[in-house]
Amino acid sequence: MEKILLVEADYRNKFPPIGLMKISTYHKKKGDYVEFYKGKAPYSKISEFDKIYITTLFTFYFDQTVSTINHYRDYYPDGLIYVGGIAASIMPNKFRSQIGKVHIQTGRRRTSGDFGYDDDVDIDQLPLDYDILDDVDYKYSAADNFFAYATRGCMNRCKFCAVPILEPEFEDVNNLLEQISHSREVYGDRRNILLMDNNVLCSKNLKKLVDDLHSLGFIKNTK
């Protein structure tokens, strides 16, 4: 059994770290111990873990995020530290120049092999572990919702947009029913579902998406 630490810098944000929530599901399915920490954990806590995953968000949080990453790297120079997320995907070289020897992961994680495992699990397709949000005192204002993707990417290639870097190919995910049904069974129900799609209107399966949402109970005037 491995001990896994998930980290998000102590910046203000509305939405919880969806990528870390999927990574948590992967490790818990393997029987690993997982803990989430927001900010810079005490060195006594860091020493307890075998592997650390650190997410990044917006580029204007660069300095704060780098400071957080270096806090863990300085204490854990030879440990396995993986850094991913939006900002790291947009400017990986700038992060490498500031944080030294860590594993920078860009874009979506489609296989657990990216983290050194040989079971070839598509981590991006896993349901979210909502339990990790109870590990921290910070309250995400949108946390009391289901989060899901019906599609990834976008057909447009707008020059100002980072989506072509983060998700270069448009595709339908098509596992909405499974994800929400699993989350309800394991974590309880939530009133709303937030689809985090970039451009869901590009989907050729809009009718199925609407039908799936209706079958899950998300219909007009639902109480």
Side-chain angles (χ1 to χ4, degrees), residues 59-199:
T59 56
F60 50 77
Y61 289 140
F62 178 80
D63 291 341
Q64 187 176 359
T65 305
V66 164
S67 176
T68 300
I69 296 169
N70 283 332
H71 170 79
Y72 291 90
R73 188 212 61 185
D74 289 346
Y75 183 79
Y76 204 46
D78 299 320
L80 290 176
I81 298 179
Y82 289 86
V83 175
I86 295 174
S89 297
I90 293 174
M91 46 186 190
N93 291 332
K94 186 173 181 179
F95 272 93
R96 289 189 181 100
S97 70
Q98 298 291 318
I99 61 180
K101 188 179 178 181
V102 302
H103 299 274
I104 299 289
Q105 303 285 318
T106 59
R108 297 163 63 190
R109 295 302 90 210
R110 303 309 304 267
T111 172
S112 53
D114 294 334
F115 301 130
Y117 302 101
D118 59 7
D119 49 1
D120 195 29
V121 173
D122 187 345
I123 293 177
D124 192 57
Q125 294 291 313
L126 293 177
L128 280 61
D129 178 7
Y130 292 87
D131 277 351
I132 69 168
L133 304 183
D134 295 331
D135 291 345
V136 297
D137 293 331
Y138 185 84
K139 301 301 180 185
Y140 299 90
S141 59
D144 192 24
N145 299 281
F146 290 122
F147 299 94
Y149 290 92
T151 64
R152 303 303 292 263
C154 180
M155 300 293 289
N156 301 319
R157 313 291 293 186
C158 302
K159 293 182 178 180
F160 60 82
C161 183
V163 170
I165 299 173
L166 301 169
E167 302 171 10
E169 302 296 330
F170 181 83
E171 63 178 294
D172 289 284
V173 178
N174 288 333
N175 66 345
L176 187 65
L177 283 174
E178 294 86 348
Q179 289 219 24
I180 302 304
S181 296
H182 173 272
S183 296
R184 276 181 168 157
E185 179 180 351
V186 176
Y187 307 108
D189 206 358
R190 285 166 164 76
R191 180 175 181 180
N192 301 314
I193 180 172
L194 299 183
L195 294 182
M196 309 298 285
D197 297 45
N198 302 295
N199 192 350

